[in-house]
């Protein structure tokens, strides 16, 4: 994969261009404004998620990307030292992805799921499904913020 990745991944990005563009627009305009309240012990783990996402982006092998995804989704339960349910995991992942600077989430998902030649464990499959669910939720979310919400968000970013 390391040899063909520079040629293969741009093709995957071109194939997923429309989905990635729509998702990027949603992340920039909606997901950053619409924040779900997370448990405080999970909220503090969000900054560390950027490192795991950077590893996922920089990896050139589907298995390495899946391992980085596994590490990302284990992060909240390791850092918070409390039990993490699926009901907590998805909102956490959505916020982690929305705060990241990844611009090709669909392409990453496509590469991990379609070009992995090794046998995936149940955990890998669950994590890929969770990743896909977070992406689809962000892409399809509907949110019409009030002018006050937009104004307060703009003021927070400027300070």
């Amino acid at each position: 994969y390391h040899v063909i990745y520079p040629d293969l991944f741009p093709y995957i990005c071109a194939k997923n261009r429309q989905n990635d563009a729509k998702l990027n627009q949603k992340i920039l305009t909606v997901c950053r404004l619409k924040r779900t309240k997370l448990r405080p012990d999970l909220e503090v783990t969000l900054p560390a998620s950027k490192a795991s996402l950077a590893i996922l982006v920089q990896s050139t092998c589907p298995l390495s990307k899946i391992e980085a995804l596994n590490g990302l989704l284990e992060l909240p339960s390791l850092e918070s030292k409390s039990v993490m349910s699926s009901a907590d995991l998805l909102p956490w992942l959505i916020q982690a992805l929305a705060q990241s600077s990844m611009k090709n989430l669909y392409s990453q998902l496509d590469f991990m799921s379609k070009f992995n030649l090794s046998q995936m464990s149940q955990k890998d499959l669950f994590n890929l499904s969770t990743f896909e669910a977070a992406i689809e939720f962000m892409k399809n979310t509907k949110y019409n913020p009030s002018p006050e919400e937009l104004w307060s968000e703009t003021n927070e970013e400027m300070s």
Side-chain angles (χ1 to χ4, degrees):
Y1 283 106
H2 305 293
V3 176
I4 65 169
Y5 185 81
D7 295 325
L8 178 61
F9 197 69
Y11 168 76
I12 294 169
C13 289
K15 179 181 156 264
N16 290 295
R17 183 176 306 138
Q18 286 182 325
N19 283 330
D20 279 333
K22 183 176 179 181
L23 180 61
N24 292 339
Q25 181 183 17
K26 284 285 185 150
I27 289 172
L28 289 173
T29 59
V30 176
C31 293
R32 289 193 177 164
L33 293 175
K34 183 181 178 183
R35 291 197 177 118
T36 305
K37 292 289 183 197
L38 298 175
R39 294 185 342 218
D41 60 326
L42 297 178
E43 186 88 32
V44 298
T45 65
L46 285 171
S49 69
K50 290 182 182 184
S52 295
L53 286 166
I55 293 169
L56 190 147
V57 169
Q58 293 171 0
S59 298
T60 58
C61 167
L63 187 57
S64 298
K65 288 182 180 287
I66 290 170
E67 288 172 1
L69 179 63
N70 291 343
L72 171 69
L73 294 178
E74 288 173 356
L75 182 68
S77 59
L78 292 173
E79 294 287 323
S80 72
K81 301 196 178 20
S82 64
V83 177
M84 177 114 170
S85 69
S86 294
D88 293 326
L89 182 61
L90 194 56
W92 180 86
L93 180 58
I94 290 166
Q95 285 201 18
L97 292 173
Q99 291 178 11
S100 78
S101 58
M102 286 180 68
K103 300 295 181 221
N104 54 10
L105 292 170
Y106 270 100
S107 300
Q108 296 291 341
L109 175 65
D110 199 18
F111 183 70
M112 287 186 285
S113 59
K114 293 185 179 155
F115 292 92
N116 186 19
L117 300 177
S118 60
Q119 184 67 29
M120 286 197 272
S121 68
Q122 290 296 322
K123 177 182 174 183
D124 295 340
L125 294 170
F126 174 81
N127 288 343
L128 271 174
S129 297
T130 303
F131 187 65
E132 183 175 13
I135 291 170
E136 287 297 324
F137 177 85
M138 289 190 299
K139 180 181 161 197
N140 296 314
T141 192
K142 304 249 188 294
Y143 180 61
N144 296 316
S146 68
E148 293 80 25
E149 289 175 294
L150 289 171
W151 178 252
S152 68
E153 184 71 23
T154 304
N155 285 341
E156 287 174 18
E157 288 178 2
M158 294 174 80
S159 3

